[in-house]
Amino acid sequence: MTDHDLDFGGLLPARQRNLLIGGAWTPAASGGRLEVHDPADESVITDVADGTTDDAVAALDAAVAAQHDWARTPPRERGEILRRAFEIIVDRADDFARIISLEMGKTLAEAKGEVAYGAEFFRWFSEEAVRIHGRWMHAPAGGSRLLTIRKPVGPCLFLTPWNFPIAMGTRKIGPAVAAGCTMVVKPAELTPLTMLALAGVMAEAGLPDGVLNVVTTHDSAALSRTLMADPRLRKVSFTGSTPVGRILVEQSAGQLQRVSMELGGNAPFLVFDDADVDAAVDGAMVAKMRNMGEACTAANRFLVHRAVADEFGRKLGERMGALRLGRGQDDGVDVGPLINGAAVESVGGLVREAVGAGARVVTGGTPPDGPGHFYPPTVLLDVPVGARIAEEEIFGPVAPITTFDTEEEAVAQANASEYGLTSYVYTRDLARTIRMAEALEFGMVGVNTGLVSNPAAPFGGVKASGYGREGGFEGIDEYLETTYVSLPG
Ligand code: NAD
């Protein structure tokens, strides 16, 4: 690939494959570079700056310097910057999709879907920027008036994962910009290009220098340790795995930073015997195969009533088996590669163990020879309750099916997980729908749908899936503090 091809129509010129600090594209202090690989053939696409902790501190310096004026910028102005950025992204959707597909592996069609979804957070929060308000009330006993003011939290650190390189960024940047916070963004080292392109768009949309700083690095742990020890950093928002989330929460104790944690999931997908099985298979394809299963919302455990399990498994197997594996940018490809060799190894290990414990392979199960990190869409029937594949996040295109006989059993199995992000229920019974919404210990419940993500909805989990919400009316609260003013009268 030539340097010109990598320009992506001007979205990512060579100078932008650097750090963004205080509005200037800057090489790493050490001069180090970080290679970016194509997961479809393991080739090197390009490289970006490998930032050091000194670079990270310089980025925080820039964010701190910009915070005062940014907080005082009229909300309408902040909203209009987001609105302009939304429009540019939509305009440049094809180029963004090419970058995402190339560095992350998903198909171009899926990448376009992610761009549209990611851009919508900017549109949503452009509309929320002007609706930040406090309240005025009389103390119940009289004698004083209670006033509240909402203020930006202050400089933030954002750590984002590789699986949705634009959307996991806009979900944090959008509300932070709307609220008047400045930020240092550290994208995943496997997919840094999308964030660098996005940062260029934000500048084009009029975001002042220093409000958004980007540091790419291979050493995320050192960066977060350094910045989180700094009392000027007031907030950390992290999307990624639960073990890393736990480290960050512990780290936040030193300076008592506010934290939002969007962590792993282990979504149950319940199909009751009164469900429309064909609709459930349609929903399962979305819930399982979005992003090749590399999504925190991915259906991880299919819990199906015994009466419909064989029919559901057979139909899902036919649909999954018909998907074409290949390079995400090629025509006719339905399923791209996984992110790296470790991902293929991990998914393969879970499948081998489940089969060893008695699961039947309906389709898939054997990865093709390299190059590229491919794993075929796989359906497993009769997966024993308690199998490791049902307890861990698979993060790949594998659908393990376990049967149940009663609603109580289904709920108990669904809730028997340390995670609590997304759950899915297929039923035509309204009373059961309501019982499920109340009984399932998850931040989100999809009813007769395989897709819950929506910028206008509060996305987030409970238990080991973390805390805090992104999107919806709740999303901006993560970036606002409340000051209470007591007035006499
Ligand atoms: P990850 O935890 O390995 O990495 C996430 C980010 O944290 C990356 O930027 C990485 O560089 C950084 N990081 C890694 N180790 C770190 C450390 N010790 N200190 C500081 N930063 C560190 O996760 P991943 O593999 O990139 O993403 C997959 C995970 O993300 C899955 O568990 C998935 O469920 C989760 N996820 C959750 C949501 C959600 O909204 N709940 C959304 C997408 C992905």
Side-chain angles (χ1 to χ4, degrees), residues 160 162 171 186 189 220 238-241 262-263 296 393 459:
T160 57
W162 49 264
R171 223 157 68 153
K186 205 293 302 173
E189 57 275 33
S220 190
F238 171 72
T239 299
S241 59
E262 295 285 351
L263 309 178
C296 53
E393 210 177 6
F459 187 106

Side-chain angles (χ1 to χ4, degrees), residues 127-184:
E127 293 156 350
E128 287 299 280
V130 293
R131 317 217 188 289
I132 299 166
H133 51 81
R135 67 171 183 266
W136 175 280
M137 65 184 276
H138 293 275
S144 66
R145 296 183 178 94
L146 317 181
L147 172 69
T148 65
I149 308 172
R150 315 236 42 216
K151 299 175 184 169
V153 169
C156 305
L157 170 63
F158 296 156
L159 302 162
T160 57
W162 49 264
N163 60 346
F164 290 95
I166 193 166
M168 297 303 99
T170 56
R171 223 157 68 153
K172 300 181 193 305
I173 297 167
V177 166
C181 295
T182 62
M183 63 212 84
V184 177

Side-chain angles (χ1 to χ4, degrees), residues 84-159:
R84 278 196 294 278
F86 160 74
E87 280 164 12
I88 299 170
I89 298 169
V90 169
D91 232 39
R92 309 300 308 274
D94 287 350
D95 288 317
F96 265 112
R98 277 205 303 133
I99 301 176
I100 293 172
S101 176
L102 196 59
E103 67 175 345
M104 188 274 165
K106 68 181 79 176
T107 63
L108 277 178
E110 281 215 70
K112 277 186 206 168
E114 187 197 334
V115 174
Y117 170 57
E120 284 298 334
F121 284 101
F122 281 0
R123 174 149 68 172
W124 175 262
F125 285 108
S126 76
E127 293 156 350
E128 287 299 280
V130 293
R131 317 217 188 289
I132 299 166
H133 51 81
R135 67 171 183 266
W136 175 280
M137 65 184 276
H138 293 275
S144 66
R145 296 183 178 94
L146 317 181
L147 172 69
T148 65
I149 308 172
R150 315 236 42 216
K151 299 175 184 169
V153 169
C156 305
L157 170 63
F158 296 156
L159 302 162

